[in-house]
């Protein structure tokens, strides 16, 4: 299935999102910065992409961490998944957090996060006095063991 999404480069240096492989489920978002930026241990930075999107009504875009940055450099998308709503038209920025012990450098054009678009149905909440039973029931955190 293909969904058309309008995209606008806010700066000439902004790079369009790309799928890294034919089977990739998400596109890579790249840093649109003029010079490298540092993220010190324990610090958080907002990294611009230089892109704005016009998602179709009823869709949203989720921003998630790149596994390679997470496992090799301890860099994660802080509010993962970050949600871009269909009515937002501003620049998409990525909130990166350095959870490691070494300074990380974000270079211009670096792949900083992944994004995927999903359909988000409107929910018609139906208040009820009781809910149907399931095998899990009220089993919460850790109910199946650790």
């Amino acid at each position: 299935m293909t969904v058309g999404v309008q995209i606008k480069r806010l700066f000439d240096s902004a790079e369009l999102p790309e799928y890294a492989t034919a089977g990739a489920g998400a596109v890579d978002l790249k840093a649109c910065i003029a010079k490298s930026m540092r993220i010190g241990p324990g610090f958080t930075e907002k990294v611009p992409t230089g892109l704005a999107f016009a998602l179709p009504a009823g869709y949203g875009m989720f921003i998630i961490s790149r596994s390679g940055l997470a496992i090799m450099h301890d860099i994660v998308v802080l509010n993962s998944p970050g949600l871009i709503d269909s009515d937002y038209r501003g620049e998409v920025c990525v909130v990166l957090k350095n959870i490691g012990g070494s300074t990380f450098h974000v270079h211009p054009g670096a792949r900083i996060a992944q994004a995927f678009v999903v359909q988000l149905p409107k929910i018609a909440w139906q208040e009820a006095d009781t809910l149907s039973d399931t095998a899990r029931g009220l089993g919460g955190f850790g109910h199946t063991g650790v």
Side-chain angles (χ1 to χ4, degrees):
M1 176 175 80
T2 302
V3 175
V5 175
Q6 293 180 334
I7 187 169
K8 179 180 180 181
R9 289 182 211 235
L10 302 175
F11 306 97
D12 291 339
S13 60
E15 297 185 45
L16 297 179
E18 295 179 319
Y19 290 99
T21 66
V27 295
D28 288 323
L29 295 178
K30 298 179 181 178
C32 183
I33 52 180
K35 61 181 184 175
S36 294
M37 61 189 298
R38 299 169 19 136
I39 306 175
F43 283 85
T44 302
E45 292 290 342
K46 181 173 78 170
V47 183
T49 66
L51 302 172
F53 299 85
L55 298 164
Y59 283 80
M61 181 167 50
F62 286 98
I63 312 292
I64 58 174
S65 300
R66 293 191 63 240
S67 60
L69 287 180
I71 193 69
M72 292 187 274
H73 302 287
D74 298 319
I75 299 297
V76 296
V77 174
L78 183 60
N79 61 322
S80 188
L83 172 61
I84 307 302
D85 295 310
S86 64
D87 58 351
Y88 177 66
R89 294 297 182 268
E91 181 178 15
V92 170
C93 293
V94 178
V95 180
L96 292 181
K97 173 83 173 180
N98 183 342
I99 61 172
S102 301
T103 297
F104 181 76
H105 296 271
V106 179
H107 301 292
R111 296 180 298 159
I112 55 171
Q114 297 182 90
F116 60 95
V117 174
V118 295
Q119 195 167 14
L120 300 171
K122 290 289 183 192
I123 305 300
W125 299 108
Q126 300 171 351
E127 192 169 359
D129 293 328
T130 60
L131 302 176
S132 61
D133 289 329
T134 66
R136 179 177 178 172
L138 300 176
F141 295 108
H143 81 281
T144 60
V146 288

